[in-house]
Short mmCIF file of all heavy atoms in Angstrom, two decimals:
data_model
loop_
_atom_site.label_atom_id
_atom_site.label_comp_id
_atom_site.label_asym_id
_atom_site.label_seq_id
_atom_site.Cartn_x
_atom_site.Cartn_y
_atom_site.Cartn_z
N MET A 1 1.72 4.17 -17.02
CA MET A 1 3.04 4.61 -16.78
C MET A 1 3.77 3.66 -15.86
O MET A 1 3.24 3.37 -14.85
CB MET A 1 3.04 5.98 -16.25
CG MET A 1 4.42 6.54 -15.87
SD MET A 1 4.50 8.30 -15.56
CE MET A 1 3.32 8.50 -14.22
N ARG A 2 4.98 3.18 -16.23
CA ARG A 2 5.73 2.27 -15.40
C ARG A 2 6.84 3.15 -14.70
O ARG A 2 7.55 3.85 -15.35
CB ARG A 2 6.40 1.23 -16.28
CG ARG A 2 7.51 0.40 -15.51
CD ARG A 2 6.65 -0.82 -14.94
NE ARG A 2 7.62 -1.93 -14.54
CZ ARG A 2 8.33 -1.94 -13.48
NH1 ARG A 2 8.34 -0.89 -12.67
NH2 ARG A 2 9.07 -2.99 -13.18
N LEU A 3 6.76 3.18 -13.37
CA LEU A 3 7.77 3.94 -12.65
C LEU A 3 8.91 3.16 -12.26
O LEU A 3 8.76 1.95 -12.00
CB LEU A 3 7.05 4.50 -11.46
CG LEU A 3 5.91 5.42 -11.66
CD1 LEU A 3 5.24 6.02 -10.40
CD2 LEU A 3 6.33 6.65 -12.51
N VAL A 4 10.14 3.80 -12.07
CA VAL A 4 11.28 3.01 -11.72
C VAL A 4 11.01 2.50 -10.18
O VAL A 4 10.57 3.26 -9.37
CB VAL A 4 12.45 3.92 -11.67
CG1 VAL A 4 13.77 3.26 -11.08
CG2 VAL A 4 12.74 4.46 -13.10
N PRO A 5 11.33 1.21 -9.93
CA PRO A 5 11.11 0.71 -8.52
C PRO A 5 11.73 1.71 -7.49
O PRO A 5 12.84 2.13 -7.79
CB PRO A 5 11.77 -0.61 -8.59
CG PRO A 5 11.64 -1.14 -9.93
CD PRO A 5 11.79 0.16 -10.78
N GLY A 6 11.05 1.96 -6.50
CA GLY A 6 11.63 2.84 -5.39
C GLY A 6 11.26 4.28 -5.57
O GLY A 6 11.34 5.08 -4.80
N GLU A 7 10.83 4.62 -6.90
CA GLU A 7 10.48 6.04 -7.20
C GLU A 7 8.97 6.16 -6.95
O GLU A 7 8.55 7.32 -6.75
CB GLU A 7 10.79 6.23 -8.74
CG GLU A 7 10.66 7.72 -9.05
CD GLU A 7 10.94 7.85 -10.51
OE1 GLU A 7 11.44 6.97 -11.23
OE2 GLU A 7 10.68 8.97 -11.06
N PHE A 8 8.28 5.17 -6.93
CA PHE A 8 6.74 5.22 -6.80
C PHE A 8 6.20 6.14 -5.69
O PHE A 8 5.47 7.10 -5.98
CB PHE A 8 6.16 3.84 -6.84
CG PHE A 8 4.64 3.79 -6.67
CD1 PHE A 8 3.81 4.18 -7.75
CD2 PHE A 8 4.08 3.52 -5.51
CE1 PHE A 8 2.53 4.28 -7.63
CE2 PHE A 8 2.72 3.47 -5.41
CZ PHE A 8 1.84 3.86 -6.44
N PRO A 9 6.48 5.77 -4.45
CA PRO A 9 5.82 6.58 -3.45
C PRO A 9 6.19 8.10 -3.50
O PRO A 9 5.26 8.91 -3.45
CB PRO A 9 6.35 6.01 -2.22
CG PRO A 9 6.71 4.53 -2.43
CD PRO A 9 7.19 4.66 -3.89
N PRO A 10 7.44 8.55 -3.64
CA PRO A 10 7.70 9.98 -3.63
C PRO A 10 7.07 10.68 -4.88
O PRO A 10 6.49 11.71 -4.67
CB PRO A 10 9.20 9.96 -3.73
CG PRO A 10 9.70 8.75 -3.29
CD PRO A 10 8.68 7.74 -3.62
N VAL A 11 7.17 10.01 -6.02
CA VAL A 11 6.66 10.61 -7.23
C VAL A 11 5.13 10.87 -7.10
O VAL A 11 4.62 11.92 -7.46
CB VAL A 11 6.97 9.77 -8.47
CG1 VAL A 11 6.17 10.16 -9.68
CG2 VAL A 11 8.41 9.80 -8.82
N VAL A 12 4.33 9.80 -6.60
CA VAL A 12 2.96 9.89 -6.44
C VAL A 12 2.63 10.91 -5.52
O VAL A 12 1.73 11.81 -5.71
CB VAL A 12 2.37 8.54 -6.09
CG1 VAL A 12 0.81 8.64 -5.68
CG2 VAL A 12 2.49 7.57 -7.24
N ALA A 13 3.17 10.93 -4.30
CA ALA A 13 2.93 11.97 -3.31
C ALA A 13 3.18 13.39 -3.75
O ALA A 13 2.33 14.27 -3.54
CB ALA A 13 3.62 11.56 -2.03
N GLN A 14 4.28 13.47 -4.39
CA GLN A 14 4.67 14.94 -4.93
C GLN A 14 3.64 15.35 -6.00
O GLN A 14 3.28 16.51 -5.96
CB GLN A 14 6.08 14.99 -5.44
CG GLN A 14 7.09 14.77 -4.33
CD GLN A 14 8.46 14.57 -4.81
OE1 GLN A 14 8.71 14.47 -6.03
NE2 GLN A 14 9.38 14.42 -3.89
N PHE A 15 3.32 14.35 -6.82
CA PHE A 15 2.37 14.78 -7.89
C PHE A 15 1.03 15.22 -7.34
O PHE A 15 0.54 16.25 -7.52
CB PHE A 15 2.23 13.65 -8.98
CG PHE A 15 1.19 13.82 -9.91
CD1 PHE A 15 1.32 14.80 -10.95
CD2 PHE A 15 -0.07 13.20 -9.83
CE1 PHE A 15 0.28 14.99 -11.93
CE2 PHE A 15 -1.17 13.42 -10.76
CZ PHE A 15 -0.87 14.29 -11.82
N TYR A 16 0.48 14.32 -6.49
CA TYR A 16 -0.89 14.69 -6.05
C TYR A 16 -0.88 15.84 -5.08
O TYR A 16 -1.87 16.61 -5.11
CB TYR A 16 -1.54 13.47 -5.41
CG TYR A 16 -2.04 12.35 -6.43
CD1 TYR A 16 -1.51 11.14 -6.40
CD2 TYR A 16 -2.98 12.75 -7.32
CE1 TYR A 16 -1.98 10.27 -7.46
CE2 TYR A 16 -3.41 11.84 -8.26
CZ TYR A 16 -2.97 10.60 -8.35
OH TYR A 16 -3.35 9.68 -9.28
N THR A 17 0.14 16.04 -4.23
CA THR A 17 0.11 17.18 -3.37
C THR A 17 0.31 18.50 -4.12
O THR A 17 -0.04 19.47 -3.68
CB THR A 17 1.09 17.03 -2.20
OG1 THR A 17 2.37 16.74 -2.80
CG2 THR A 17 0.77 15.96 -1.21
N SER A 18 0.82 18.36 -5.36
CA SER A 18 1.02 19.62 -6.12
C SER A 18 -0.28 20.06 -6.90
O SER A 18 -0.42 21.16 -7.28
CB SER A 18 2.10 19.38 -7.19
OG SER A 18 1.74 18.52 -8.25
N ILE A 19 -1.15 19.06 -7.13
CA ILE A 19 -2.41 19.41 -7.80
C ILE A 19 -3.61 19.65 -7.01
O ILE A 19 -4.62 20.23 -7.42
CB ILE A 19 -2.77 18.49 -8.98
CG1 ILE A 19 -2.98 17.09 -8.42
CG2 ILE A 19 -1.55 18.46 -9.97
CD1 ILE A 19 -3.47 16.05 -9.52
N PHE A 20 -3.62 19.19 -5.77
CA PHE A 20 -4.70 19.39 -4.84
C PHE A 20 -4.39 20.45 -3.80
O PHE A 20 -3.40 20.36 -3.24
CB PHE A 20 -5.20 18.11 -4.02
CG PHE A 20 -5.78 17.02 -4.92
CD1 PHE A 20 -4.97 16.04 -5.61
CD2 PHE A 20 -7.21 17.13 -5.15
CE1 PHE A 20 -5.68 15.17 -6.29
CE2 PHE A 20 -7.84 16.15 -5.96
CZ PHE A 20 -7.05 15.15 -6.57
N ARG A 21 -5.35 21.27 -3.51
CA ARG A 21 -5.12 22.27 -2.49
C ARG A 21 -5.30 21.62 -1.04
O ARG A 21 -5.79 20.51 -1.01
CB ARG A 21 -6.26 23.40 -2.56
CG ARG A 21 -6.13 24.24 -3.83
CD ARG A 21 -7.22 25.29 -3.86
NE ARG A 21 -7.15 25.95 -5.24
CZ ARG A 21 -7.95 26.81 -5.40
NH1 ARG A 21 -8.98 27.22 -4.59
NH2 ARG A 21 -7.94 27.46 -6.65
N ASN A 22 -4.81 22.25 -0.10
CA ASN A 22 -4.81 21.77 1.30
C ASN A 22 -4.25 20.32 1.38
O ASN A 22 -4.87 19.40 1.90
CB ASN A 22 -6.31 21.74 1.81
CG ASN A 22 -6.94 23.20 1.78
OD1 ASN A 22 -6.30 24.10 2.14
ND2 ASN A 22 -8.12 23.24 1.25
N SER A 23 -3.06 20.20 0.77
CA SER A 23 -2.41 18.85 0.72
C SER A 23 -0.95 19.02 1.17
O SER A 23 -0.36 20.08 1.01
CB SER A 23 -2.53 18.33 -0.73
OG SER A 23 -3.82 18.25 -1.09
N GLU A 24 -0.52 17.95 1.77
CA GLU A 24 0.97 18.04 2.20
C GLU A 24 1.42 16.64 2.37
O GLU A 24 0.72 15.67 2.64
CB GLU A 24 1.04 18.82 3.48
CG GLU A 24 0.35 18.13 4.69
CD GLU A 24 0.49 18.90 6.01
OE1 GLU A 24 1.60 19.35 6.26
OE2 GLU A 24 -0.45 18.99 6.66
N ILE A 25 2.80 16.49 2.36
CA ILE A 25 3.35 15.13 2.62
C ILE A 25 3.66 15.24 4.15
O ILE A 25 4.31 16.26 4.62
CB ILE A 25 4.71 14.99 1.85
CG1 ILE A 25 4.35 14.86 0.37
CG2 ILE A 25 5.58 13.82 2.39
CD1 ILE A 25 5.57 14.81 -0.55
N LEU A 26 3.18 14.30 4.84
CA LEU A 26 3.39 14.17 6.33
C LEU A 26 4.68 13.58 6.84
O LEU A 26 5.34 14.05 7.68
CB LEU A 26 2.20 13.46 6.95
CG LEU A 26 0.89 14.09 6.78
CD1 LEU A 26 -0.19 13.22 7.29
CD2 LEU A 26 0.71 15.45 7.32
N SER A 27 4.99 12.38 6.13
CA SER A 27 6.21 11.74 6.63
C SER A 27 6.72 10.68 5.58
O SER A 27 5.87 10.25 4.68
CB SER A 27 5.96 10.94 7.89
OG SER A 27 4.94 9.91 7.77
N VAL A 28 7.91 10.39 5.57
CA VAL A 28 8.46 9.36 4.73
C VAL A 28 9.29 8.35 5.58
O VAL A 28 10.16 8.74 6.33
CB VAL A 28 9.46 10.05 3.73
CG1 VAL A 28 10.05 9.01 2.78
CG2 VAL A 28 8.81 11.10 2.91
N ALA A 29 9.00 7.11 5.39
CA ALA A 29 9.66 6.04 6.06
C ALA A 29 10.58 5.39 5.05
O ALA A 29 10.14 5.04 3.91
CB ALA A 29 8.72 4.99 6.57
N ARG A 30 11.95 5.20 5.33
CA ARG A 30 12.86 4.69 4.34
C ARG A 30 13.36 3.33 4.82
O ARG A 30 13.49 3.07 6.10
CB ARG A 30 13.98 5.60 4.17
CG ARG A 30 13.42 6.95 3.56
CD ARG A 30 14.59 7.86 3.15
NE ARG A 30 14.00 9.14 2.58
CZ ARG A 30 13.61 9.23 1.30
NH1 ARG A 30 13.71 8.20 0.42
NH2 ARG A 30 13.12 10.34 0.88
N TYR A 31 13.75 2.53 3.99
CA TYR A 31 14.43 1.28 4.25
C TYR A 31 15.72 1.49 4.92
O TYR A 31 16.48 2.42 4.61
CB TYR A 31 14.70 0.39 3.01
CG TYR A 31 13.42 -0.15 2.32
CD1 TYR A 31 13.11 0.22 1.09
CD2 TYR A 31 12.61 -0.99 2.96
CE1 TYR A 31 12.01 -0.22 0.42
CE2 TYR A 31 11.42 -1.56 2.27
CZ TYR A 31 11.16 -1.09 1.09
OH TYR A 31 9.99 -1.50 0.50
N GLY A 32 16.06 0.63 5.92
CA GLY A 32 17.35 0.73 6.57
C GLY A 32 18.34 -0.28 5.96
O GLY A 32 18.06 -0.81 5.02
N LYS A 33 19.43 -0.53 6.75
CA LYS A 33 20.41 -1.39 6.28
C LYS A 33 20.02 -2.88 6.10
O LYS A 33 20.57 -3.58 5.13
CB LYS A 33 21.66 -1.42 7.24
CG LYS A 33 22.36 -0.14 7.30
CD LYS A 33 23.58 -0.15 8.17
CE LYS A 33 24.27 1.20 8.18
NZ LYS A 33 25.54 1.11 9.04
N VAL A 34 19.06 -3.31 6.85
CA VAL A 34 18.52 -4.60 6.75
C VAL A 34 17.44 -4.82 5.64
O VAL A 34 16.96 -5.94 5.54
CB VAL A 34 18.03 -5.16 8.06
CG1 VAL A 34 19.19 -5.20 9.08
CG2 VAL A 34 16.87 -4.30 8.61
N GLY A 35 17.03 -3.76 5.01
CA GLY A 35 16.08 -3.98 3.83
C GLY A 35 14.71 -3.97 4.33
O GLY A 35 14.30 -3.51 5.32
N PRO A 36 13.86 -4.67 3.50
CA PRO A 36 14.03 -5.41 2.36
C PRO A 36 14.53 -4.78 1.11
O PRO A 36 15.02 -5.42 0.20
CB PRO A 36 12.81 -6.29 2.21
CG PRO A 36 11.73 -5.35 2.58
CD PRO A 36 12.36 -4.53 3.75
N GLY A 37 14.29 -3.44 1.02
CA GLY A 37 14.67 -2.66 -0.21
C GLY A 37 16.09 -2.03 -0.01
O GLY A 37 16.65 -2.13 1.16
N PRO A 38 16.52 -1.34 -0.94
CA PRO A 38 17.96 -0.71 -0.79
C PRO A 38 17.83 0.38 0.27
O PRO A 38 16.87 1.05 0.42
CB PRO A 38 18.07 0.01 -2.20
CG PRO A 38 17.19 -0.80 -3.12
CD PRO A 38 16.05 -1.29 -2.32
N GLU A 39 18.85 0.51 1.01
CA GLU A 39 18.95 1.41 2.12
C GLU A 39 18.69 2.86 1.59
O GLU A 39 19.23 3.23 0.59
CB GLU A 39 20.27 1.35 2.82
CG GLU A 39 20.46 2.30 4.01
CD GLU A 39 21.81 2.18 4.72
OE1 GLU A 39 22.60 1.46 4.21
OE2 GLU A 39 21.89 2.87 5.81
N GLY A 40 17.68 3.62 2.26
CA GLY A 40 17.53 4.89 1.89
C GLY A 40 16.37 5.12 0.95
O GLY A 40 15.80 6.20 0.87
N GLN A 41 15.94 4.05 0.37
CA GLN A 41 14.86 4.08 -0.60
C GLN A 41 13.55 4.25 0.11
O GLN A 41 13.35 3.72 1.25
CB GLN A 41 14.82 2.84 -1.41
CG GLN A 41 13.81 2.80 -2.58
CD GLN A 41 13.88 1.67 -3.40
OE1 GLN A 41 13.29 0.61 -3.02
NE2 GLN A 41 14.61 1.68 -4.55
N ALA A 42 12.58 5.04 -0.37
CA ALA A 42 11.33 5.24 0.33
C ALA A 42 10.55 3.97 0.44
O ALA A 42 10.35 3.18 -0.55
CB ALA A 42 10.50 6.34 -0.49
N MET A 43 10.00 3.64 1.68
CA MET A 43 9.17 2.40 1.87
C MET A 43 7.73 2.88 1.80
O MET A 43 6.89 2.28 1.17
CB MET A 43 9.62 1.77 3.26
CG MET A 43 8.81 0.56 3.49
SD MET A 43 9.41 -0.28 5.00
CE MET A 43 9.40 1.01 6.28
N THR A 44 7.42 3.90 2.65
CA THR A 44 5.98 4.41 2.68
C THR A 44 6.12 5.97 2.77
O THR A 44 7.13 6.49 3.36
CB THR A 44 5.23 3.83 3.93
OG1 THR A 44 5.76 4.31 5.08
CG2 THR A 44 5.15 2.33 3.88
N ILE A 45 5.06 6.62 2.36
CA ILE A 45 4.86 7.95 2.39
C ILE A 45 3.50 8.27 2.87
O ILE A 45 2.54 7.87 2.23
CB ILE A 45 5.26 8.78 1.12
CG1 ILE A 45 6.66 8.50 0.71
CG2 ILE A 45 4.91 10.26 1.28
CD1 ILE A 45 7.13 9.26 -0.43
N ASN A 46 3.37 9.02 3.97
CA ASN A 46 2.00 9.43 4.47
C ASN A 46 1.75 10.95 3.89
O ASN A 46 2.71 11.75 4.07
CB ASN A 46 1.97 9.49 5.98
CG ASN A 46 2.00 8.09 6.59
OD1 ASN A 46 2.56 7.19 5.96
ND2 ASN A 46 1.49 8.02 7.86
N PHE A 47 0.61 11.05 3.22
CA PHE A 47 0.32 12.40 2.74
C PHE A 47 -1.25 12.65 2.88
O PHE A 47 -1.92 11.67 3.08
CB PHE A 47 0.80 12.59 1.31
CG PHE A 47 0.23 11.60 0.28
CD1 PHE A 47 -0.69 12.00 -0.57
CD2 PHE A 47 0.86 10.26 0.22
CE1 PHE A 47 -1.08 11.07 -1.55
CE2 PHE A 47 0.30 9.44 -0.70
CZ PHE A 47 -0.65 9.81 -1.62
N VAL A 48 -1.50 13.92 2.80
CA VAL A 48 -2.94 14.36 2.84
C VAL A 48 -3.37 15.06 1.67
O VAL A 48 -2.59 15.93 1.07
CB VAL A 48 -3.09 15.33 4.13
CG1 VAL A 48 -4.45 15.90 4.16
CG2 VAL A 48 -2.74 14.63 5.44
N LEU A 49 -4.50 14.70 1.13
CA LEU A 49 -5.09 15.38 -0.02
C LEU A 49 -6.52 15.90 0.40
O LEU A 49 -7.37 15.02 0.72
CB LEU A 49 -5.29 14.41 -1.24
CG LEU A 49 -3.92 13.70 -1.71
CD1 LEU A 49 -4.28 12.80 -2.87
CD2 LEU A 49 -2.92 14.71 -2.24
N GLU A 50 -6.61 17.22 0.38
CA GLU A 50 -7.90 17.79 0.81
C GLU A 50 -8.52 17.22 2.06
O GLU A 50 -9.69 16.97 2.20
CB GLU A 50 -8.88 17.68 -0.33
CG GLU A 50 -8.64 18.50 -1.62
CD GLU A 50 -8.81 19.96 -1.32
OE1 GLU A 50 -9.45 20.39 -0.36
OE2 GLU A 50 -8.35 20.77 -2.24
N GLY A 51 -7.64 16.99 3.07
CA GLY A 51 -8.00 16.56 4.38
C GLY A 51 -8.10 15.06 4.41
O GLY A 51 -8.27 14.55 5.59
N GLN A 52 -7.91 14.27 3.44
CA GLN A 52 -8.05 12.85 3.51
C GLN A 52 -6.61 12.28 3.51
O GLN A 52 -5.82 12.54 2.65
CB GLN A 52 -8.72 12.27 2.33
CG GLN A 52 -8.78 10.78 2.24
CD GLN A 52 -9.54 10.19 3.47
OE1 GLN A 52 -10.68 10.52 3.73
NE2 GLN A 52 -8.92 9.19 4.08
N GLU A 53 -6.25 11.47 4.51
CA GLU A 53 -4.88 10.96 4.57
C GLU A 53 -4.80 9.62 3.74
O GLU A 53 -5.60 8.81 3.76
CB GLU A 53 -4.52 10.69 6.09
CG GLU A 53 -3.08 10.26 6.34
CD GLU A 53 -2.71 10.17 7.68
OE1 GLU A 53 -3.32 10.77 8.63
OE2 GLU A 53 -1.67 9.59 8.02
N PHE A 54 -3.58 9.55 3.09
CA PHE A 54 -3.20 8.40 2.23
C PHE A 54 -1.80 7.89 2.65
O PHE A 54 -1.05 8.68 3.17
CB PHE A 54 -3.28 8.82 0.74
CG PHE A 54 -4.54 9.13 0.20
CD1 PHE A 54 -5.10 10.33 0.26
CD2 PHE A 54 -5.37 8.10 -0.41
CE1 PHE A 54 -6.27 10.65 -0.27
CE2 PHE A 54 -6.57 8.43 -0.97
CZ PHE A 54 -7.05 9.70 -0.80
N VAL A 55 -1.57 6.65 2.25
CA VAL A 55 -0.29 6.11 2.51
C VAL A 55 0.10 5.44 1.11
O VAL A 55 -0.66 4.54 0.58
CB VAL A 55 -0.17 5.04 3.64
CG1 VAL A 55 1.23 4.35 3.71
CG2 VAL A 55 -0.59 5.62 4.95
N ALA A 56 1.16 5.85 0.57
CA ALA A 56 1.75 5.26 -0.69
C ALA A 56 2.86 4.21 -0.21
O ALA A 56 3.73 4.48 0.55
CB ALA A 56 2.39 6.31 -1.61
N LEU A 57 2.79 3.03 -0.74
CA LEU A 57 3.59 1.91 -0.47
C LEU A 57 4.56 1.52 -1.63
O LEU A 57 4.12 1.47 -2.74
CB LEU A 57 2.87 0.64 -0.05
CG LEU A 57 1.75 0.81 1.12
CD1 LEU A 57 0.99 -0.49 1.15
CD2 LEU A 57 2.52 0.94 2.41
N ASN A 58 5.77 1.27 -1.27
CA ASN A 58 6.76 0.83 -2.37
C ASN A 58 6.74 -0.72 -2.34
O ASN A 58 7.19 -1.27 -1.41
CB ASN A 58 8.15 1.30 -1.99
CG ASN A 58 9.19 0.88 -2.99
OD1 ASN A 58 8.82 0.16 -3.94
ND2 ASN A 58 10.42 1.23 -2.88
N GLY A 59 5.97 -1.27 -3.24
CA GLY A 59 5.93 -2.69 -3.41
C GLY A 59 7.12 -3.47 -3.92
O GLY A 59 7.15 -4.59 -3.99
N GLY A 60 8.08 -2.62 -4.43
CA GLY A 60 9.29 -3.20 -5.03
C GLY A 60 8.98 -3.71 -6.42
O GLY A 60 7.88 -3.54 -6.96
N PRO A 61 10.02 -4.26 -7.04
CA PRO A 61 9.86 -4.68 -8.44
C PRO A 61 8.88 -5.75 -8.72
O PRO A 61 8.35 -6.07 -9.88
CB PRO A 61 11.26 -5.12 -8.80
CG PRO A 61 11.94 -5.50 -7.61
CD PRO A 61 11.31 -4.57 -6.58
N GLU A 62 8.49 -6.45 -7.63
CA GLU A 62 7.50 -7.57 -7.61
C GLU A 62 6.09 -7.11 -8.03
O GLU A 62 5.27 -7.84 -8.67
CB GLU A 62 7.38 -8.40 -6.45
CG GLU A 62 8.70 -9.08 -6.07
CD GLU A 62 9.60 -8.18 -5.25
OE1 GLU A 62 9.13 -7.13 -4.66
OE2 GLU A 62 10.82 -8.42 -5.26
N PHE A 63 5.74 -5.80 -7.68
CA PHE A 63 4.46 -5.36 -7.92
C PHE A 63 4.55 -4.07 -8.84
O PHE A 63 5.12 -3.00 -8.41
CB PHE A 63 3.79 -4.98 -6.55
CG PHE A 63 3.62 -6.14 -5.62
CD1 PHE A 63 4.56 -6.39 -4.71
CD2 PHE A 63 2.52 -6.97 -5.72
CE1 PHE A 63 4.47 -7.44 -3.79
CE2 PHE A 63 2.43 -8.05 -4.87
CZ PHE A 63 3.27 -8.33 -3.98
N THR A 64 3.95 -4.19 -9.99
CA THR A 64 4.04 -3.04 -10.80
C THR A 64 2.91 -2.10 -10.68
O THR A 64 1.94 -2.36 -10.00
CB THR A 64 3.97 -3.59 -12.35
OG1 THR A 64 2.72 -4.25 -12.48
CG2 THR A 64 5.19 -4.44 -12.66
N PHE A 65 3.04 -0.89 -11.22
CA PHE A 65 1.99 0.17 -11.03
C PHE A 65 0.71 -0.31 -11.65
O PHE A 65 0.58 -0.91 -12.58
CB PHE A 65 2.47 1.48 -11.77
CG PHE A 65 1.52 2.57 -11.69
CD1 PHE A 65 1.53 3.32 -10.55
CD2 PHE A 65 0.75 2.93 -12.64
CE1 PHE A 65 0.62 4.34 -10.26
CE2 PHE A 65 -0.24 3.98 -12.53
CZ PHE A 65 -0.22 4.79 -11.30
N SER A 66 -0.42 -0.01 -10.87
CA SER A 66 -1.73 -0.24 -11.39
C SER A 66 -2.72 0.85 -10.85
O SER A 66 -2.32 1.65 -10.08
CB SER A 66 -2.28 -1.58 -10.85
OG SER A 66 -2.71 -1.57 -9.55
N GLU A 67 -3.96 0.80 -11.31
CA GLU A 67 -4.96 1.79 -10.92
C GLU A 67 -5.60 1.37 -9.57
O GLU A 67 -6.42 2.09 -9.07
CB GLU A 67 -6.04 1.87 -11.98
CG GLU A 67 -5.52 2.42 -13.28
CD GLU A 67 -4.86 1.31 -14.17
OE1 GLU A 67 -5.12 0.11 -13.80
OE2 GLU A 67 -4.09 1.56 -15.08
N ALA A 68 -5.16 0.26 -8.97
CA ALA A 68 -5.89 -0.21 -7.81
C ALA A 68 -5.56 0.65 -6.66
O ALA A 68 -4.60 1.33 -6.59
CB ALA A 68 -5.41 -1.64 -7.50
N ILE A 69 -6.48 0.72 -5.63
CA ILE A 69 -6.34 1.36 -4.39
C ILE A 69 -6.88 0.46 -3.30
O ILE A 69 -7.90 -0.18 -3.42
CB ILE A 69 -7.03 2.85 -4.47
CG1 ILE A 69 -6.70 3.64 -3.09
CG2 ILE A 69 -8.54 2.66 -4.67
CD1 ILE A 69 -7.10 5.07 -3.32
N SER A 70 -6.26 0.68 -2.07
CA SER A 70 -6.74 -0.03 -0.95
C SER A 70 -7.07 1.08 0.11
O SER A 70 -6.37 2.01 0.23
CB SER A 70 -5.65 -1.02 -0.37
OG SER A 70 -5.32 -1.98 -1.22
N PHE A 71 -8.09 0.78 0.81
CA PHE A 71 -8.44 1.73 1.94
C PHE A 71 -8.18 1.22 3.23
O PHE A 71 -8.44 0.05 3.47
CB PHE A 71 -9.99 2.08 1.68
CG PHE A 71 -10.30 2.91 0.50
CD1 PHE A 71 -10.77 2.32 -0.53
CD2 PHE A 71 -10.02 4.36 0.59
CE1 PHE A 71 -11.05 3.12 -1.69
CE2 PHE A 71 -10.36 5.05 -0.57
CZ PHE A 71 -10.83 4.46 -1.63
N HIS A 72 -7.73 2.13 4.16
CA HIS A 72 -7.46 1.78 5.61
C HIS A 72 -8.29 2.80 6.38
O HIS A 72 -8.12 3.99 6.13
CB HIS A 72 -6.08 1.85 5.89
CG HIS A 72 -5.71 1.78 7.31
ND1 HIS A 72 -5.64 0.59 7.98
CD2 HIS A 72 -5.65 2.77 8.27
CE1 HIS A 72 -5.39 0.81 9.29
NE2 HIS A 72 -5.37 2.13 9.53
N ILE A 73 -9.32 2.36 7.05
CA ILE A 73 -10.14 3.24 7.79
C ILE A 73 -9.68 3.31 9.33
O ILE A 73 -9.80 2.33 9.99
CB ILE A 73 -11.58 2.66 7.71
CG1 ILE A 73 -12.10 2.37 6.42
CG2 ILE A 73 -12.51 3.75 8.42
CD1 ILE A 73 -12.50 3.38 5.47
N SER A 74 -9.32 4.46 9.73
CA SER A 74 -8.85 4.67 11.15
C SER A 74 -10.15 4.91 11.92
O SER A 74 -10.92 5.74 11.61
CB SER A 74 -7.98 5.88 11.24
OG SER A 74 -6.80 5.59 10.54
N CYS A 75 -10.21 4.15 13.04
CA CYS A 75 -11.51 4.32 13.92
C CYS A 75 -11.06 4.86 15.23
O CYS A 75 -10.07 4.72 15.70
CB CYS A 75 -12.13 2.90 14.18
SG CYS A 75 -12.76 2.10 12.66
#
């Protein structure tokens, strides 16, 4: 599925938090006036699925949707 640029983080976070219990959206960071994306567009979204925290990134039109995932381990 190809998502409209800028729609990716909110759509993914809303979808997954709607199907997993004990899940929530924690925060949304948006682009400001200086960009690099359009002002107000979601840049990152922090969300929790069953106790595991994730961050969805808006890579812009240069990076299309894929099945890849990156892990960040907080120590």
Side-chain angles (χ1 to χ4, degrees):
M1 174 169 54
R2 173 90 162 79
L3 302 175
V4 176
E7 187 180 350
F8 178 70
V11 168
V12 170
Q14 289 168 0
F15 172 72
Y16 283 118
T17 57
S18 74
I19 61 172
F20 287 95
R21 295 181 185 178
N22 303 317
S23 301
E24 64 178 320
I25 295 175
L26 300 175
S27 64
V28 179
R30 299 189 177 278
Y31 291 117
K33 291 182 181 182
V34 295
E39 183 177 5
Q41 188 177 82
M43 181 174 55
T44 63
I45 297 185
N46 292 24
F47 58 103
V48 174
L49 303 176
E50 290 291 345
Q52 176 64 51
E53 190 170 339
F54 292 87
V55 178
L57 304 170
N58 178 359
E62 299 85 19
F63 300 96
T64 58
F65 182 78
S66 79
E67 298 81 16
I69 186 168
S70 297
F71 289 99
H72 171 83
I73 313 278
S74 297
C75 297

